[in-house]
Amino acid sequence: MKCPFCGEADKDKVLDSRPIRDNTAIKRRRECEVERGGCGRRFTTFEQIEELLLQVVKKDGTREAFDRNKLLASLQIAAKKRPVSADQLEDAVEDIERTLANRLDKEVSTQEIGELVMEHLKSLDQIAYVRFASVYRQFEDATQFRDIVNMLRRQTGRAKTKE
């Protein structure tokens, strides 16, 4: 491993390793052991299985590799300043990734990913859901906000009557 501080390669020792993400990844705490100059700085690395070779087909037809970090970032933006924990967002990303990985197709449209995100946000936080929907569905006026809020009210009302 290359030290991010001094640039020396393979001159580090692992101080701590622990499984994360349901044992699908490992977080390692490392310390640089360069003899000359004695860097001694500590850093963290993550190791995970590279299994998802999924291509995302965008609206304009272009393709790019699936990026977990982009997905997490979009959820974080939608849930900003809302009572949604980082763990809840991470769990949603993991569930979406798992759903996509279990598909037989190697390509997925941005629309399919967007629908999965909306499904998760709806159960996590309604405000985050509306924020994401306004961008994802490209709302152009306030009536579209009203329509989605009314839909959420109807669903919430039905859920309360079932209890």
Side-chain angles (χ1 to χ4, degrees):
M1 185 63 57
K2 181 179 176 181
C3 175
F5 304 106
C6 70
E8 286 290 328
D10 301 323
K11 303 274 186 183
D12 66 270
K13 70 176 177 180
V14 175
L15 301 174
D16 181 41
S17 290
R18 54 181 76 182
I20 57 173
R21 297 189 199 136
D22 296 332
N23 287 325
T24 61
I26 297 175
K27 179 179 179 179
R28 297 190 197 280
R29 194 73 181 131
R30 298 174 179 267
E31 182 175 36
C32 182
E33 291 188 314
V34 174
E35 294 88 32
R36 60 181 168 82
C39 178
R41 305 270 307 261
R42 292 181 178 191
F43 56 99
T44 302
T45 60
F46 296 89
E47 191 176 306
Q48 66 185 27
I49 298 169
E50 191 172 348
E51 60 184 42
L52 190 61
L53 300 173
L54 191 64
Q55 291 289 307
V56 177
V57 181
K58 301 175 104 179
K59 288 180 184 176
D60 65 1
T62 59
R63 287 164 171 70
E64 68 179 44
F66 175 81
D67 185 350
R68 167 183 222 287
N69 294 326
K70 271 185 163 180
L71 181 59
L72 181 59
S74 66
L75 285 164
Q76 288 170 334
I77 290 168
K80 188 173 184 174
K81 295 187 180 183
R82 297 297 306 154
V84 180
S85 73
D87 286 342
Q88 288 175 304
L89 295 177
E90 190 66 42
D91 290 345
V93 169
E94 286 178 29
D95 190 51
I96 292 168
E97 265 189 311
R98 197 171 15 260
T99 300
L100 295 174
N102 289 334
R103 296 166 27 112
L104 297 176
D105 294 335
K106 295 292 181 195
E107 293 185 338
V108 62
S109 70
T110 53
Q111 290 82 10
E112 290 176 77
I113 295 172
E115 292 301 324
L116 289 169
V117 169
M118 288 184 52
E119 209 175 282
H120 282 83
L121 285 176
K122 189 186 290 187
S123 64
L124 287 175
D125 184 82
Q126 290 184 348
I127 300 299
Y129 171 77
V130 171
R131 285 178 181 168
F132 185 85
S134 69
V135 174
Y136 171 65
R137 297 222 169 111
Q138 300 175 336
F139 286 6
E140 293 179 6
D141 58 37
T143 59
Q144 292 172 299
F145 280 97
R146 184 187 63 221
D147 293 343
I148 202 160
V149 169
N150 288 339
M151 182 267 307
L152 286 171
R153 281 185 180 155
R154 285 191 302 273
Q155 289 179 346
T156 304
R158 275 185 258 157
K160 286 182 181 178
T161 58
K162 289 181 182 178
E163 293 175 358

